[in-house]
Amino acid sequence: MAINVIIKDPQWNEIWQFTAENGKNIAELAAMHGIDIPVSCGAGVCGVCLCKVEQWNDAVKADAFNSPLMPLKSDENWNPEEILTCIAGFNPEKFDDWQDHTVILQRTY
Ligand code: FES
């Protein structure tokens, strides 16, 4: 099924929605859909692309494309509450799930 992504700005205003595709990092997906998430190093080092995960954090995989080189918040089940969108993606099994998922991310910059 689908993973629907809602992006909010730092003031919690919803600024965009898109349906995710598997195999791309979240910053790439956002850019493909016209959403500007700042990216600098592209490798999980600088933190410029940091986003907070507000909902459905078990569909988000913080280390999908690389291991973050800075501490990030997670919940008691180790689901991410913060991600670096240049290296984060979605759990592949959620694309094959029987239900749709809505992931809400908040841009920090
Ligand atoms: S752009 Fe540097 S951590 Fe993502």
Side-chain angles (χ1 to χ4, degrees):
M1 298 300 272
I3 297 179
N4 302 306
V5 183
I6 295 172
I7 307 278
K8 292 186 174 183
D9 68 13
Q11 289 75 41
W12 298 100
N13 301 306
E14 186 175 318
I15 53 174
W16 210 265
Q17 291 189 43
F18 62 91
T19 302
E21 297 95 41
N22 198 1
K24 296 196 183 311
N25 69 50
I26 293 173
E28 273 181 298
L29 288 170
M32 284 171 48
H33 292 88
I35 305 154
D36 182 30
I37 295 178
V39 173
S40 181
C41 70
V45 177
C46 71
V48 164
C49 65
L50 180 78
C51 280
K52 294 180 180 173
V53 183
E54 186 184 325
Q55 179 178 302
W56 273 104
N57 54 6
D58 72 336
V60 177
K61 192 165 172 47
D63 60 352
F65 296 95
N66 204 350
S67 296
L69 294 180
M70 60 190 316
L72 298 171
K73 292 182 185 169
S74 58
D75 68 14
E76 63 279 359
N77 297 314
W78 297 102
N79 295 313
E81 294 179 326
E82 294 178 333
I83 55 169
L84 299 171
T85 58
C86 69
I87 59 169
F90 297 102
N91 284 323
E93 63 268 18
K94 297 295 181 187
F95 288 97
D96 300 327
D97 222 343
W98 57 272
Q99 62 178 346
D100 287 342
H101 302 280
T102 298
V103 173
I104 301 176
L105 303 175
Q106 181 197 22
R107 247 180 26 184
T108 56
Y109 295 103

